[in-house]
Amino acid sequence: MSGGDKLDFEIRPNPAPVSATDRAALLVNPGFGRVFTDHMVTVRYADGKGWYDARVEARAPIPMDPASAVLHYAQEIFEGLKAYRTADGGVTMFRPDANAARFVASAQRMAMPALPPEVFIDSLHKLIEVDREWIPTGADGSLYLRPFMFASEVFLGVRPANEYLYMVIASPVGAYFSGGVKPVTVWVSPDYTRAAPGGTGAAKCGGNYAASLAAQAEAIEAGCDQVVFLDAVERRFVDELGGMNVFFVYDDDTVVTPPLTGTILPGITRDAVLTLAGAAGHRVEERPVTFADWQADAASGRLREVFACGTAAVITPIGGVRFPDGEFLIGGGEPGRVTMALRQQLVDIQRGKADDPQGWVRRVL
Ligand SMILES: *Cc1c(COP(=O)(O)O)cnc(C)c1O
């Protein structure tokens, strides 16, 4: 089928699914990204043919030719979102339309074909339907959905591939923070940057993560949890973490995050936090923040709280900052009041426990 926005998914149930007993054991403490469901989505694309062979099938290794283009030139993008169990036994997702739109934008930047948003969303519904028993029932659990797409053409020439494979896998996850929300310490790398103007910083591609790993290793070496990246040109402005956006809360109730100028990933959690902070009466600003101001405002006490946000951990307080010349704390290293209130409000909306005036929550089952 070519060019259309609708595809029929063929459902091929896994003939040997994990037993209910084994599944229950796996769901007790799944951690993050280690346990997977019984099925996966595959949809193929070829130039001239469009998207075809949409399937939900048994999760299994995918045969790959060693000359598959993605293995050499990293033409790959992904998404991440969660499905939640509701109190009445139903299932919801949070803003899947925003993930679908971002997947199209990422594809464009990486010279890949756009997957129609209808197909993206339908693929999630179909997978959730067959694997619904894998959604944890606990208050903090959810089913993490990982849609991704890569160049599957067997060819070593350097150009956009003409064949792609789109897939979705799903992974039950527990509370990101076992034992309550714990502030993290971030490392400001003197050597590495994440994304330059004109580069791929705004695309959700595996390559950005590959480029961040040496800095992340440096952070761990320095006793920190995560890296916060400065801008690649002047090394003055705060961009974001390796996989989370960053927010600053000041003593005049202003909530600030760096603007989307092409080097920062447009997080859906970031967007939700901007809306929620505004609705809660905070003054909300998207403006550049220098690392020098971050230090000075933390020292003067004007800066009260800093937090990172993204789908996996929702909102994570940043309690400390370390760099080669020193370190400092924010809010005494404790989670801040505004941070925790925004976190609670967002989690309550995602789990159907609070009003959803924006219509962010989408019913799946
Ligand atoms: C995915 C991602 C985020 C967070 O985006 P959400 O849509 O909120 O999950 C932030 N930064 C980077 C680099 C990311 O890849």
Side-chain angles (χ1 to χ4, degrees), residues 250-280:
Y250 295 91
D251 63 356
D252 63 355
D253 241 16
T254 309
V255 172
V256 176
T257 194
L260 301 176
T261 57
T263 60
I264 294 177
L265 198 288
I268 295 159
T269 317
R270 174 188 181 279
D271 184 77
V273 166
L274 285 170
T275 301
L276 293 179

PDB file of all heavy atoms in Angstrom, residues 250-280:
ATOM      1  N   TYR A 250      12.852  30.298  40.370  1.00  0.00           N
ATOM      2  CA  TYR A 250      13.454  31.421  41.102  1.00  0.00           C
ATOM      3  C   TYR A 250      12.556  31.890  42.244  1.00  0.00           C
ATOM      4  O   TYR A 250      11.374  31.540  42.309  1.00  0.00           O
ATOM      5  CB  TYR A 250      13.739  32.573  40.137  1.00  0.00           C
ATOM      6  CG  TYR A 250      14.789  32.193  39.108  1.00  0.00           C
ATOM      7  CD1 TYR A 250      14.418  31.631  37.898  1.00  0.00           C
ATOM      8  CD2 TYR A 250      16.150  32.346  39.387  1.00  0.00           C
ATOM      9  CE1 TYR A 250      15.365  31.246  36.964  1.00  0.00           C
ATOM     10  CE2 TYR A 250      17.109  31.956  38.468  1.00  0.00           C
ATOM     11  CZ  TYR A 250      16.715  31.406  37.250  1.00  0.00           C
ATOM     12  OH  TYR A 250      17.663  31.013  36.348  1.00  0.00           O
ATOM     13  N   ASP A 251      13.136  32.690  43.130  1.00  0.00           N
ATOM     14  CA  ASP A 251      12.421  33.098  44.346  1.00  0.00           C
ATOM     15  C   ASP A 251      11.266  34.059  44.071  1.00  0.00           C
ATOM     16  O   ASP A 251      10.444  34.309  44.942  1.00  0.00           O
ATOM     17  CB  ASP A 251      13.384  33.692  45.381  1.00  0.00           C
ATOM     18  CG  ASP A 251      14.051  34.963  44.886  1.00  0.00           C
ATOM     19  OD1 ASP A 251      13.829  35.345  43.717  1.00  0.00           O
ATOM     20  OD2 ASP A 251      14.802  35.575  45.674  1.00  0.00           O
ATOM     21  N   ASP A 252      11.201  34.626  42.833  1.00  0.00           N
ATOM     22  CA  ASP A 252      10.039  35.461  42.489  1.00  0.00           C
ATOM     23  C   ASP A 252       8.962  34.629  41.785  1.00  0.00           C
ATOM     24  O   ASP A 252       8.094  35.178  41.114  1.00  0.00           O
ATOM     25  CB  ASP A 252      10.479  36.639  41.609  1.00  0.00           C
ATOM     26  CG  ASP A 252      11.058  36.156  40.277  1.00  0.00           C
ATOM     27  OD1 ASP A 252      11.195  34.922  40.089  1.00  0.00           O
ATOM     28  OD2 ASP A 252      11.383  37.000  39.426  1.00  0.00           O
ATOM     29  N   ASP A 253       9.045  33.291  41.940  1.00  0.00           N
ATOM     30  CA  ASP A 253       8.036  32.379  41.403  1.00  0.00           C
ATOM     31  C   ASP A 253       8.097  32.221  39.886  1.00  0.00           C
ATOM     32  O   ASP A 253       7.152  31.735  39.277  1.00  0.00           O
ATOM     33  CB  ASP A 253       6.630  32.838  41.812  1.00  0.00           C
ATOM     34  CG  ASP A 253       5.942  31.766  42.643  1.00  0.00           C
ATOM     35  OD1 ASP A 253       6.645  30.860  43.121  1.00  0.00           O
ATOM     36  OD2 ASP A 253       4.714  31.835  42.780  1.00  0.00           O
ATOM     37  N   THR A 254       9.226  32.641  39.305  1.00  0.00           N
ATOM     38  CA  THR A 254       9.382  32.446  37.865  1.00  0.00           C
ATOM     39  C   THR A 254       9.914  31.040  37.596  1.00  0.00           C
ATOM     40  O   THR A 254      10.795  30.557  38.315  1.00  0.00           O
ATOM     41  CB  THR A 254      10.379  33.482  37.298  1.00  0.00           C
ATOM     42  OG1 THR A 254       9.972  34.771  37.734  1.00  0.00           O
ATOM     43  CG2 THR A 254      10.392  33.463  35.780  1.00  0.00           C
ATOM     44  N   VAL A 255       9.375  30.418  36.568  1.00  0.00           N
ATOM     45  CA  VAL A 255       9.833  29.098  36.135  1.00  0.00           C
ATOM     46  C   VAL A 255      10.425  29.273  34.737  1.00  0.00           C
ATOM     47  O   VAL A 255       9.760  29.778  33.835  1.00  0.00           O
ATOM     48  CB  VAL A 255       8.663  28.095  36.127  1.00  0.00           C
ATOM     49  CG1 VAL A 255       9.085  26.770  35.504  1.00  0.00           C
ATOM     50  CG2 VAL A 255       8.136  27.877  37.542  1.00  0.00           C
ATOM     51  N   VAL A 256      11.706  28.890  34.575  1.00  0.00           N
ATOM     52  CA  VAL A 256      12.443  29.184  33.345  1.00  0.00           C
ATOM     53  C   VAL A 256      13.007  27.897  32.736  1.00  0.00           C
ATOM     54  O   VAL A 256      13.509  27.033  33.457  1.00  0.00           O
ATOM     55  CB  VAL A 256      13.609  30.163  33.642  1.00  0.00           C
ATOM     56  CG1 VAL A 256      14.455  30.406  32.391  1.00  0.00           C
ATOM     57  CG2 VAL A 256      13.069  31.482  34.187  1.00  0.00           C
ATOM     58  N   THR A 257      12.929  27.806  31.415  1.00  0.00           N
ATOM     59  CA  THR A 257      13.609  26.713  30.707  1.00  0.00           C
ATOM     60  C   THR A 257      14.238  27.296  29.442  1.00  0.00           C
ATOM     61  O   THR A 257      13.713  28.258  28.868  1.00  0.00           O
ATOM     62  CB  THR A 257      12.643  25.546  30.397  1.00  0.00           C
ATOM     63  OG1 THR A 257      13.399  24.393  30.004  1.00  0.00           O
ATOM     64  CG2 THR A 257      11.674  25.897  29.276  1.00  0.00           C
ATOM     65  N   PRO A 258      15.374  26.758  29.003  1.00  0.00           N
ATOM     66  CA  PRO A 258      16.008  27.271  27.783  1.00  0.00           C
ATOM     67  C   PRO A 258      15.096  27.111  26.563  1.00  0.00           C
ATOM     68  O   PRO A 258      14.321  26.158  26.495  1.00  0.00           O
ATOM     69  CB  PRO A 258      17.272  26.419  27.653  1.00  0.00           C
ATOM     70  CG  PRO A 258      17.553  25.933  29.038  1.00  0.00           C
ATOM     71  CD  PRO A 258      16.204  25.737  29.665  1.00  0.00           C
ATOM     72  N   PRO A 259      15.177  28.046  25.621  1.00  0.00           N
ATOM     73  CA  PRO A 259      14.302  28.027  24.444  1.00  0.00           C
ATOM     74  C   PRO A 259      14.720  26.955  23.442  1.00  0.00           C
ATOM     75  O   PRO A 259      15.865  26.518  23.417  1.00  0.00           O
ATOM     76  CB  PRO A 259      14.484  29.427  23.847  1.00  0.00           C
ATOM     77  CG  PRO A 259      15.862  29.826  24.245  1.00  0.00           C
ATOM     78  CD  PRO A 259      16.130  29.177  25.584  1.00  0.00           C
ATOM     79  N   LEU A 260      13.759  26.557  22.592  1.00  0.00           N
ATOM     80  CA  LEU A 260      14.009  25.538  21.569  1.00  0.00           C
ATOM     81  C   LEU A 260      14.587  26.221  20.329  1.00  0.00           C
ATOM     82  O   LEU A 260      13.857  26.749  19.508  1.00  0.00           O
ATOM     83  CB  LEU A 260      12.705  24.818  21.217  1.00  0.00           C
ATOM     84  CG  LEU A 260      11.999  24.108  22.371  1.00  0.00           C
ATOM     85  CD1 LEU A 260      10.674  23.519  21.893  1.00  0.00           C
ATOM     86  CD2 LEU A 260      12.886  23.020  22.977  1.00  0.00           C
ATOM     87  N   THR A 261      15.908  26.213  20.244  1.00  0.00           N
ATOM     88  CA  THR A 261      16.548  26.896  19.113  1.00  0.00           C
ATOM     89  C   THR A 261      17.159  25.902  18.132  1.00  0.00           C
ATOM     90  O   THR A 261      17.901  26.282  17.237  1.00  0.00           O
ATOM     91  CB  THR A 261      17.656  27.831  19.625  1.00  0.00           C
ATOM     92  OG1 THR A 261      18.576  27.037  20.390  1.00  0.00           O
ATOM     93  CG2 THR A 261      17.100  28.933  20.506  1.00  0.00           C
ATOM     94  N   GLY A 262      16.859  24.620  18.314  1.00  0.00           N
ATOM     95  CA  GLY A 262      17.355  23.621  17.377  1.00  0.00           C
ATOM     96  C   GLY A 262      18.378  22.678  17.972  1.00  0.00           C
ATOM     97  O   GLY A 262      18.635  21.610  17.415  1.00  0.00           O
ATOM     98  N   THR A 263      18.971  23.058  19.109  1.00  0.00           N
ATOM     99  CA  THR A 263      19.956  22.168  19.722  1.00  0.00           C
ATOM    100  C   THR A 263      19.358  21.389  20.896  1.00  0.00           C
ATOM    101  O   THR A 263      20.006  20.517  21.466  1.00  0.00           O
ATOM    102  CB  THR A 263      21.185  22.945  20.235  1.00  0.00           C
ATOM    103  OG1 THR A 263      20.747  23.900  21.204  1.00  0.00           O
ATOM    104  CG2 THR A 263      21.894  23.660  19.100  1.00  0.00           C
ATOM    105  N   ILE A 264      18.119  21.727  21.263  1.00  0.00           N
ATOM    106  CA  ILE A 264      17.469  21.087  22.408  1.00  0.00           C
ATOM    107  C   ILE A 264      16.330  20.228  21.909  1.00  0.00           C
ATOM    108  O   ILE A 264      15.595  20.621  21.003  1.00  0.00           O
ATOM    109  CB  ILE A 264      16.955  22.165  23.388  1.00  0.00           C
ATOM    110  CG1 ILE A 264      18.143  22.921  24.000  1.00  0.00           C
ATOM    111  CG2 ILE A 264      16.075  21.557  24.470  1.00  0.00           C
ATOM    112  CD1 ILE A 264      17.739  24.049  24.922  1.00  0.00           C
ATOM    113  N   LEU A 265      16.180  19.052  22.510  1.00  0.00           N
ATOM    114  CA  LEU A 265      15.089  18.154  22.136  1.00  0.00           C
ATOM    115  C   LEU A 265      13.783  18.720  22.696  1.00  0.00           C
ATOM    116  O   LEU A 265      13.698  18.993  23.896  1.00  0.00           O
ATOM    117  CB  LEU A 265      15.382  16.762  22.736  1.00  0.00           C
ATOM    118  CG  LEU A 265      14.669  15.514  22.213  1.00  0.00           C
ATOM    119  CD1 LEU A 265      13.208  15.474  22.644  1.00  0.00           C
ATOM    120  CD2 LEU A 265      14.785  15.350  20.712  1.00  0.00           C
ATOM    121  N   PRO A 266      12.776  18.903  21.840  1.00  0.00           N
ATOM    122  CA  PRO A 266      11.494  19.440  22.325  1.00  0.00           C
ATOM    123  C   PRO A 266      10.711  18.397  23.109  1.00  0.00           C
ATOM    124  O   PRO A 266       9.885  17.676  22.560  1.00  0.00           O
ATOM    125  CB  PRO A 266      10.757  19.852  21.040  1.00  0.00           C
ATOM    126  CG  PRO A 266      11.383  19.048  19.952  1.00  0.00           C
ATOM    127  CD  PRO A 266      12.788  18.715  20.371  1.00  0.00           C
ATOM    128  N   GLY A 267      10.964  18.308  24.385  1.00  0.00           N
ATOM    129  CA  GLY A 267      10.345  17.301  25.245  1.00  0.00           C
ATOM    130  C   GLY A 267       8.852  17.553  25.411  1.00  0.00           C
ATOM    131  O   GLY A 267       8.410  18.695  25.537  1.00  0.00           O
ATOM    132  N   ILE A 268       8.103  16.469  25.441  1.00  0.00           N
ATOM    133  CA  ILE A 268       6.657  16.565  25.647  1.00  0.00           C
ATOM    134  C   ILE A 268       6.381  16.835  27.122  1.00  0.00           C
ATOM    135  O   ILE A 268       5.454  17.560  27.471  1.00  0.00           O
ATOM    136  CB  ILE A 268       5.976  15.285  25.122  1.00  0.00           C
ATOM    137  CG1 ILE A 268       6.182  15.231  23.595  1.00  0.00           C
ATOM    138  CG2 ILE A 268       4.498  15.240  25.476  1.00  0.00           C
ATOM    139  CD1 ILE A 268       6.033  13.874  22.971  1.00  0.00           C
ATOM    140  N   THR A 269       7.222  16.294  27.993  1.00  0.00           N
ATOM    141  CA  THR A 269       7.111  16.618  29.415  1.00  0.00           C
ATOM    142  C   THR A 269       7.444  18.102  29.620  1.00  0.00           C
ATOM    143  O   THR A 269       6.745  18.796  30.369  1.00  0.00           O
ATOM    144  CB  THR A 269       8.074  15.743  30.247  1.00  0.00           C
ATOM    145  OG1 THR A 269       8.023  14.404  29.759  1.00  0.00           O
ATOM    146  CG2 THR A 269       7.699  15.757  31.717  1.00  0.00           C
ATOM    147  N   ARG A 270       8.473  18.592  28.963  1.00  0.00           N
ATOM    148  CA  ARG A 270       8.836  20.019  29.009  1.00  0.00           C
ATOM    149  C   ARG A 270       7.635  20.878  28.650  1.00  0.00           C
ATOM    150  O   ARG A 270       7.304  21.838  29.350  1.00  0.00           O
ATOM    151  CB  ARG A 270       9.983  20.278  28.028  1.00  0.00           C
ATOM    152  CG  ARG A 270      10.371  21.737  27.849  1.00  0.00           C
ATOM    153  CD  ARG A 270      11.382  21.875  26.706  1.00  0.00           C
ATOM    154  NE  ARG A 270      11.807  23.261  26.511  1.00  0.00           N
ATOM    155  CZ  ARG A 270      11.097  24.171  25.830  1.00  0.00           C
ATOM    156  NH1 ARG A 270       9.918  23.854  25.302  1.00  0.00           N
ATOM    157  NH2 ARG A 270      11.549  25.403  25.707  1.00  0.00           N
ATOM    158  N   ASP A 271       6.981  20.524  27.549  1.00  0.00           N
ATOM    159  CA  ASP A 271       5.820  21.290  27.092  1.00  0.00           C
ATOM    160  C   ASP A 271       4.690  21.243  28.124  1.00  0.00           C
ATOM    161  O   ASP A 271       4.055  22.255  28.415  1.00  0.00           O
ATOM    162  CB  ASP A 271       5.352  20.727  25.742  1.00  0.00           C
ATOM    163  CG  ASP A 271       4.219  21.538  25.160  1.00  0.00           C
ATOM    164  OD1 ASP A 271       4.504  22.622  24.627  1.00  0.00           O
ATOM    165  OD2 ASP A 271       3.047  21.110  25.271  1.00  0.00           O
ATOM    166  N   ALA A 272       4.474  20.069  28.700  1.00  0.00           N
ATOM    167  CA  ALA A 272       3.409  19.923  29.703  1.00  0.00           C
ATOM    168  C   ALA A 272       3.734  20.748  30.950  1.00  0.00           C
ATOM    169  O   ALA A 272       2.854  21.399  31.528  1.00  0.00           O
ATOM    170  CB  ALA A 272       3.227  18.450  30.065  1.00  0.00           C
ATOM    171  N   VAL A 273       5.014  20.756  31.358  1.00  0.00           N
ATOM    172  CA  VAL A 273       5.417  21.506  32.545  1.00  0.00           C
ATOM    173  C   VAL A 273       5.219  23.008  32.320  1.00  0.00           C
ATOM    174  O   VAL A 273       4.754  23.723  33.216  1.00  0.00           O
ATOM    175  CB  VAL A 273       6.887  21.190  32.927  1.00  0.00           C
ATOM    176  CG1 VAL A 273       7.425  22.186  33.936  1.00  0.00           C
ATOM    177  CG2 VAL A 273       7.002  19.762  33.466  1.00  0.00           C
ATOM    178  N   LEU A 274       5.545  23.482  31.122  1.00  0.00           N
ATOM    179  CA  LEU A 274       5.330  24.909  30.815  1.00  0.00           C
ATOM    180  C   LEU A 274       3.853  25.271  31.000  1.00  0.00           C
ATOM    181  O   LEU A 274       3.514  26.293  31.609  1.00  0.00           O
ATOM    182  CB  LEU A 274       5.778  25.220  29.381  1.00  0.00           C
ATOM    183  CG  LEU A 274       7.281  25.301  29.146  1.00  0.00           C
ATOM    184  CD1 LEU A 274       7.606  25.372  27.643  1.00  0.00           C
ATOM    185  CD2 LEU A 274       7.878  26.524  29.858  1.00  0.00           C
ATOM    186  N   THR A 275       2.982  24.407  30.489  1.00  0.00           N
ATOM    187  CA  THR A 275       1.538  24.660  30.596  1.00  0.00           C
ATOM    188  C   THR A 275       1.081  24.605  32.051  1.00  0.00           C
ATOM    189  O   THR A 275       0.366  25.497  32.529  1.00  0.00           O
ATOM    190  CB  THR A 275       0.757  23.610  29.768  1.00  0.00           C
ATOM    191  OG1 THR A 275       1.188  23.707  28.415  1.00  0.00           O
ATOM    192  CG2 THR A 275      -0.740  23.843  29.848  1.00  0.00           C
ATOM    193  N   LEU A 276       1.501  23.567  32.770  1.00  0.00           N
ATOM    194  CA  LEU A 276       1.054  23.390  34.158  1.00  0.00           C
ATOM    195  C   LEU A 276       1.585  24.498  35.062  1.00  0.00           C
ATOM    196  O   LEU A 276       0.872  24.985  35.941  1.00  0.00           O
ATOM    197  CB  LEU A 276       1.503  22.020  34.695  1.00  0.00           C
ATOM    198  CG  LEU A 276       0.862  20.795  34.038  1.00  0.00           C
ATOM    199  CD1 LEU A 276       1.420  19.516  34.654  1.00  0.00           C
ATOM    200  CD2 LEU A 276      -0.658  20.839  34.169  1.00  0.00           C
ATOM    201  N   ALA A 277       2.839  24.910  34.838  1.00  0.00           N
ATOM    202  CA  ALA A 277       3.423  25.969  35.672  1.00  0.00           C
ATOM    203  C   ALA A 277       2.668  27.283  35.437  1.00  0.00           C
ATOM    204  O   ALA A 277       2.374  28.021  36.390  1.00  0.00           O
ATOM    205  CB  ALA A 277       4.908  26.135  35.362  1.00  0.00           C
ATOM    206  N   GLY A 278       2.340  27.568  34.183  1.00  0.00           N
ATOM    207  CA  GLY A 278       1.568  28.777  33.871  1.00  0.00           C
ATOM    208  C   GLY A 278       0.199  28.734  34.529  1.00  0.00           C
ATOM    209  O   GLY A 278      -0.245  29.707  35.146  1.00  0.00           O
ATOM    210  N   ALA A 279      -0.466  27.568  34.437  1.00  0.00           N
ATOM    211  CA  ALA A 279      -1.806  27.427  35.015  1.00  0.00           C
ATOM    212  C   ALA A 279      -1.768  27.543  36.536  1.00  0.00           C
ATOM    213  O   ALA A 279      -2.732  27.975  37.155  1.00  0.00           O
ATOM    214  CB  ALA A 279      -2.412  26.086  34.601  1.00  0.00           C
ATOM    215  N   ALA A 280      -0.617  27.172  37.140  1.00  0.00           N
ATOM    216  CA  ALA A 280      -0.489  27.244  38.601  1.00  0.00           C
ATOM    217  C   ALA A 280      -0.126  28.657  39.063  1.00  0.00           C
ATOM    218  O   ALA A 280       0.083  28.889  40.257  1.00  0.00           O
ATOM    219  CB  ALA A 280       0.560  26.244  39.077  1.00  0.00           C
TER     220      ALA A 280
END
